[in-house]
Amino acid sequence: MAIEIDIIEKFAYIGRRNGMNNVLELKGKRFEQAAKTGGGGGAAMNSKITVTSEHILRLIERLNQLKNFWQNENQPFNGALISVHYNKIVAKTNRIAGIFKGEKSNYAIVGAKFNSDKTKHIITYFLDLSDIDKSIALLYKTENVLRLYFEGVISKEIFDNCKTFDSIDYKELNLSKSLLRRIIADVSYIEDFDVELANKHDKESIITIYDTGVDIKKIFKSIGIDILSARVLDNRTVYLDVNQLNLLYEKAPYLVAMSTENLSELSPEDFIDRYEEQQVTIPAPEYEPVIGVIDTLFDERVYFGEWVEYHQMIDDRLPVSSDDYRHGTAVSSIIVDGPKLNPWLDDGCGRFRVRHFGVAAGAQFSSFRIIKFIKSIVEKNKDIKVWNISLGSNQEINDNFISAEGAVLDQIQYENDVIFVVAGTNKPNTDVVKIGSPADSINSMVVNAVTKSGLSTRYSRKGLALSFFAKPDVSYYGGSEEQYIRVCEPLGEANVAGTSFAAPWIARKLSYLIDILGLNRELAKALIIDAARGWNEAPGPEEVALYGHGIVPIRIEDIVQTKDDEIKFLVTDVSEKWNTYNYYFPIPLKDNYYPYFTRATMCYFPICDRAQGVDYTNTELNLHFGRIKDNGMLNEINSDKQNLDETLDGEKNFILEGEARERFRKWDNVKYISEVINKKRIPKRSYRNKNWGMEIKTNNRLDYKDGVGLRFGVVVTLKEMNGVNRIEEFIRNCHLNGWLVNKIDVQNRINLHEKVNEEIEFEG
């Protein structure tokens, strides 16, 4: 079958560029897996707190008060919801593990948030009343020990000397030494116990209740609210009208874990009402990849209508106007033919087909209905890997939980091999600053907008998500007074501006990397973020909140090729155990030294739990990369001491949870580690083992199974300090070490993509 000339020519000059190296894929040597050895080192007390008898007695009194509250409350479940106010941001190992349900207390967690200053955890547990009785008894025994053996006070110095506990008569107490120490450690992190009451909403809302093990319809029926099945999203989330909300807050306000107003106004865009008659022509579609678009309605009469398979999801009986077709049609025009409409943004990716689902009409829409639409749409269109969502809410995200819309996108991406590109949302007015849902989706690629000069636009809103996660992920050109984005609308071509028109450009790049070059979504996402970040120094929180990791290059070759003094390679595998490692990266030497600056970017798509509030991602993958020292440990490029219980010399490596989150992005699903390029070009000495190593350490908050089978993609870049091109030596070394090296050759991949998609005619 003949191939359109423009399909070939759109990529032709990429292979002609001089002074560029292709990105390399390393395959054939799987990562090894190793379980974690040794225990966690036992209970550790808060070093900044002295535990006293008075504090324990006060906690006992609070538990008695809470027990009486729940005994006298006519709640629709058997048990008690108790919130623990911790005195810091606590690591998983410092959560309660002695009182409540002992080591199983983590499984009783049903919610987590920060205090107003975002310096302390407030974690909610669902307990049996008998658990409270046991906790009170254990605290009484512990207080008795403090009075009899420690004069009512115990410090960390005393606590760490295990011999001080040897004289205690544990048999008389009916208490083990390890449990006593665990309870003292628990108390050192607890500030108070309480019951959390949610702030009331006065508009119809999507409500998520705490998980009490009771069917959601049964719970609401017991308090006089009859819920239709169509208004139930899952067994904890439901859509309520104003009257139902009033009844809920009157009878059981402690049930509400999260609430967001349902009727969301569509995040506004700038449309310059100057239309021009369509003079654009376009060839018929052939083998181009398909990108899914979930948006407002699409007008099939536009010049590129043949490239779009349209599905209208709203009720045909609902009134619609011509304006309801503008936004969706404009977004799809960028995906199909953006470079022809905007030559200054010609990305070299060619054209894409679109499967467009019209789920919203009018300036207002029901986010609850859209959530249900998205789940169904993705389930029925499994051939699509990249989805564009340029719809967004005017309301700001919450600091303590992910929106219902964002959580659904995260769940879909964990369960399916897809990626969503989401617009960063626009300011409806000067009072709204933070991004709106679903731009808080952690697994999605969230895109903010910049001007042609690369500055943040006046309409861009800010992250972060949950006060920590880097949202937006990246920025791209979304139009401004300096240079608008040219799109096709039902009445002709128009100039527009908004994050909605930045996101489709990133969807194009992701589809190119995934559908044409054959990379998995983890590597594709990592490549784009790595290209946006480059060698720039770590941005500050304000910069991340506006730009994410940076502005993505326009040309696709600036993502799949690199300078001739750089070696960029990709590796991907799955985590099965605590340590997923590979020690066979043969970095070329010069006089027994490594003359490189190094950086690495990793992406993965973890399972998330909205009920865990600020502790939203269940699995942490931590990236370690560097030379292999003579003692077998890695000399890491970023000096990360996480996941190292101790050095071979016995030196303890202790990092506070807050520091680990801030410095090393602990629990973030995007990791970027880098050396700073400076004028002091000091090569790194080699060790006996001439290879470099990579370790992916896996930690899970709740269930170890959450991290099993979790795929990751890593992009590593080596910049030669003296400008020497060492890529051929690296490729040769890789072959000698058993690697299969694939050069990401654009033209070869295009030819393969077209061959695979050719229709074969069989002779009769």
Side-chain angles (χ1 to χ4, degrees):
M1 189 177 242
I3 302 173
E4 289 286 347
I5 292 176
D6 70 326
I7 295 178
I8 296 178
E9 289 186 344
K10 66 190 178 186
F11 305 107
Y13 83 98
I14 295 178
R16 298 196 298 265
R17 297 183 78 205
N18 295 320
M20 300 294 285
N21 287 335
N22 287 324
V23 174
L24 307 175
E25 269 188 292
L26 302 191
K27 295 183 176 182
K29 286 191 76 70
R30 286 188 59 83
F31 281 64
E32 300 295 327
Q33 308 284 338
K36 192 170 186 178
T37 58
M45 187 174 155
N46 189 339
S47 61
K48 298 182 178 180
I49 296 294
T50 298
V51 175
T52 65
S53 291
E54 288 80 3
H55 183 50
I56 295 176
L57 289 172
R58 191 171 70 82
L59 293 180
I60 291 171
E61 176 59 24
R62 291 292 283 171
L63 285 178
N64 275 315
Q65 292 173 357
L66 292 171
K67 177 187 172 184
N68 291 333
F69 170 81
W70 288 110
Q71 283 178 328
N72 295 322
E73 185 70 17
N74 186 27
Q75 73 267 24
F77 52 83
N78 293 319
L81 290 162
I82 293 182
S83 293
V84 178
H85 289 240
Y86 287 90
N87 53 33
K88 59 180 292 187
I89 295 175
V90 291
K92 180 184 70 173
T93 52
N94 298 139
R95 292 174 174 179
I96 284 175
I99 58 177
F100 287 176
K101 291 181 177 292
E103 293 182 354
K104 295 182 179 180
S105 293
N106 248 355
Y107 296 99
I109 293 175
V110 292
K113 65 181 183 179
F114 292 137
N115 66 341
S116 57
D117 296 331
K118 301 178 179 61
T119 56
K120 302 175 183 179
H121 259 121
I122 301 173
I123 299 179
T124 302
Y125 297 76
F126 179 64
L127 306 168
D128 297 328
L129 291 178
S130 60
D131 293 325
I132 301 177
D133 289 332
K134 291 174 184 176
S135 298
I136 291 171
L138 289 171
L139 288 170
Y140 268 127
K141 290 179 181 180
T142 304
E143 190 276 332
N144 191 37
V145 169
L146 258 65
R147 275 190 299 103
L148 294 176
Y149 294 92
F150 300 99
E151 298 181 348
V153 178
I154 187 167
S155 64
K156 181 170 176 58
E157 184 180 1
I158 296 171
F159 182 86
D160 287 345
N161 184 357
C162 291
K163 292 182 179 179
T164 60
F165 290 84
D166 291 344
S167 60
I168 297 172
D169 188 347
Y170 294 101
K171 188 174 182 180
E172 178 68 23
L173 288 170
N174 192 25
L175 192 68
S176 69
K177 179 180 177 179
S178 61
L179 181 55
L180 172 66
R181 288 174 55 80
R182 183 66 257 183
I183 294 168
I184 293 172
D186 283 353
V187 170
S188 73
Y189 294 100
I190 299 172
E191 193 171 82
D192 198 7
F193 297 118
D194 209 342
V195 174
E196 297 297 300
L197 301 179
N199 295 324
K200 184 178 178 181
H201 278 248
D202 56 4
K203 294 182 180 179
E204 53 189 24
S205 300
I206 301 172
I207 297 291
T208 300
I209 63 172
Y210 289 114
D211 184 6
T212 60
V214 181
D215 180 76
I216 193 168
K217 294 182 73 174
K218 185 176 180 181
I219 282 183
F220 279 104
K221 190 171 183 179
S222 69
I223 57 178
I225 301 174
D226 193 16
I227 300 293
L228 296 174
S229 297
R231 292 195 167 194
V232 176
L233 185 63
D234 54 44
N235 201 39
R236 294 202 302 268
T237 305
V238 65
Y239 164 46
L240 300 180
D241 61 31
V242 175
N243 292 331
Q244 292 169 329
L245 277 173
N246 289 336
L247 193 55
L248 172 62
Y249 282 107
E250 176 188 340
K251 292 193 173 183
Y254 45 75
L255 270 176
V256 181
M258 295 163 269
S259 62
T260 54
E261 293 180 9
N262 173 60
L263 269 182
S264 303
E265 293 183 7
L266 185 64
S267 181
E269 317 292 338
D270 281 347
F271 288 86
I272 307 304
D273 293 323
R274 186 176 68 251
Y275 298 108
E276 298 179 10
E277 187 178 348
Q278 298 173 5
Q279 301 293 334
V280 187
T281 59
I282 191 171
E286 285 192 334
Y287 315 121
E288 294 81 2
V290 179
I291 295 174
V293 171
I294 298 173
D295 212 287
T296 62
L297 311 184
F298 176 76
D299 193 321
E300 298 177 274
R301 298 169 296 175
V302 291
Y303 80 93
F304 61 94
E306 189 181 1
W307 286 70
V308 179
E309 178 187 328
Y310 178 51
H311 300 267
Q312 182 162 312
M313 307 297 289
I314 66 169
D315 194 325
D316 291 334
R317 293 170 295 181
L318 290 176
V320 295
S321 69
S322 58
D323 280 350
D324 296 330
Y325 292 86
R326 294 179 65 188
H327 187 272
T329 306
V331 167
S332 281
S333 74
I334 294 174
I335 292 177
V336 172
D337 210 21
K340 197 161 189 178
L341 294 166
N342 301 271
W344 69 284
L345 288 176
D346 186 358
D347 51 19
C349 294
R351 295 187 176 96
F352 295 84
R353 291 177 290 155
V354 168
R355 199 169 301 159
H356 188 120
F357 298 87
V359 299
Q364 293 188 327
F365 58 91
S366 168
S367 55
F368 183 82
R369 283 177 55 81
I370 288 179
I371 292 172
K372 289 204 161 189
F373 276 142
I374 292 173
K375 294 176 94 171
S376 173
I377 288 168
V378 174
E379 178 66 29
K380 295 175 182 177
N381 294 271
K382 290 187 177 293
D383 58 312
I384 296 178
K385 301 299 182 185
V386 179
W387 293 87
N388 187 94
I389 298 181
S390 288
L391 298 175
S393 170
N394 270 349
Q395 301 160 29
E396 295 183 325
I397 59 171
N398 192 288
D399 282 341
N400 284 312
F401 56 83
I402 293 293
S403 66
E405 301 94 323
V408 167
L409 296 189
D410 288 333
Q411 179 188 4
I412 291 172
Q413 287 170 104
Y414 172 75
E415 294 175 349
N416 301 271
D417 185 23
V418 299
I419 184 169
F420 288 101
V421 181
V422 178
T425 64
N426 306 323
K427 292 178 180 176
N429 54 63
T430 56
D431 295 330
V432 175
V433 176
K434 298 184 67 175
I435 57 175
S437 66
D440 55 346
S441 166
I442 301 305
N443 282 331
S444 298
M445 179 78 88
V446 178
V447 185
N448 243 10
V450 292
T451 66
K452 188 176 183 179
S453 301
L455 300 176
S456 178
T457 60
R458 60 177 176 77
Y459 53 78
S460 290
R461 292 155 75 174
K462 295 181 179 181
L464 307 165
L466 297 182
S467 309
F468 166 71
F469 290 98
K471 294 293 165 181
D473 291 274
V474 294
S475 291
Y476 203 71
Y477 306 95
S480 67
E481 293 89 345
E482 180 185 358
Q483 176 78 62
Y484 284 94
I485 301 296
R486 199 163 185 77
V487 297
C488 175
E489 295 182 9
L491 296 180
E493 295 179 33
N495 292 320
V496 298
T499 57
S500 287
F501 311 114
W505 297 98
I506 303 302
R508 287 168 53 84
K509 287 177 167 64
L510 278 171
S511 181
Y512 181 95
L513 295 172
I514 294 170
D515 297 311
I516 293 179
L517 297 190
L519 301 178
N520 61 37
R521 60 178 181 166
E522 289 80 7
L523 285 174
K525 183 177 180 181
L527 263 175
I528 287 179
I529 289 176
D530 182 78
R533 187 75 176 266
W535 293 103
N536 299 323
E537 293 187 20
E542 279 294 309
E543 193 175 353
V544 172
L546 269 178
Y547 297 93
H549 290 279
I551 303 171
V552 179
I554 292 175
R555 297 297 302 183
I556 192 66
E557 67 268 21
D558 291 327
I559 296 173
V560 299
Q561 292 185 331
T562 190
K563 296 179 180 178
D564 64 2
D565 64 347
E566 293 182 350
I567 300 169
K568 189 187 293 287
F569 65 87
L570 316 177
V571 289
T572 182
D573 214 311
V574 296
S575 167
E576 300 289 351
K577 297 181 180 179
W578 177 68
N579 188 16
T580 304
Y581 63 90
N582 192 314
Y583 300 139
Y584 294 97
F585 296 100
I587 310 303
L589 284 158
K590 169 65 174 174
D591 298 329
N592 219 33
Y593 282 83
Y594 299 103
Y596 308 99
F597 298 108
T598 310
R599 74 173 192 255
T601 304
M602 177 177 71
C603 291
Y604 59 99
F605 291 73
I607 187 173
C608 303
D609 189 345
R610 188 167 179 252
Q612 295 292 311
V614 293
D615 295 339
Y616 178 63
T617 50
N618 285 16
T619 301
E620 151 77 359
L621 296 189
N622 194 30
L623 172 63
H624 303 261
F625 183 68
R627 292 165 289 158
I628 303 171
K629 296 190 290 189
D630 292 341
N631 62 10
M633 301 182 69
L634 295 187
N635 189 340
E636 302 177 43
I637 64 175
N638 65 331
S639 302
D640 188 354
K641 302 298 183 183
Q642 294 181 87
N643 301 302
L644 301 177
D645 293 329
E646 57 181 81
T647 67
L648 294 185
D649 298 326
E651 177 189 354
K652 293 289 183 181
N653 292 296
F654 182 70
I655 298 178
L656 296 173
E657 178 76 2
E659 181 188 2
R661 293 186 183 209
E662 182 177 350
R663 285 185 58 197
F664 302 114
R665 309 303 303 165
K666 185 177 181 182
W667 300 109
D668 199 344
N669 61 341
V670 175
K671 297 292 192 301
Y672 175 90
I673 58 177
S674 178
E675 296 174 314
V676 177
I677 294 181
N678 52 49
K679 294 181 180 179
K680 293 183 179 180
R681 300 176 180 179
I682 304 174
K684 305 170 182 66
R685 73 179 183 90
S686 67
Y687 299 99
R688 286 195 299 268
N689 189 333
K690 303 306 180 184
N691 287 332
W692 287 37
M694 181 181 294
E695 296 177 344
I696 312 296
K697 300 292 181 61
T698 303
N699 292 292
N700 297 289
R701 276 199 172 101
L702 301 174
D703 191 337
Y704 79 92
K705 294 179 183 177
D706 290 342
V708 175
L710 186 59
R711 179 168 292 280
F712 58 85
V714 183
V715 179
V716 177
T717 307
L718 304 164
K719 187 172 186 64
E720 221 278 353
M721 293 177 176
N722 303 303
V724 178
N725 189 346
R726 301 187 185 276
I727 193 167
E728 294 303 329
E729 183 181 355
F730 176 70
I731 293 172
R732 184 170 62 252
N733 290 351
C734 286
H735 285 309
L736 291 172
N737 271 262
W739 288 102
L740 299 175
V741 182
N742 293 330
K743 292 183 180 180
I744 298 184
D745 186 294
V746 172
Q747 193 58 55
N748 286 345
R749 297 294 178 97
I750 295 168
N751 293 340
L752 178 62
H753 172 76
E754 291 171 345
K755 280 288 184 186
V756 168
N757 287 279
E758 276 186 3
E759 292 185 10
I760 301 174
E761 294 184 8
F762 296 95
E763 294 183 2

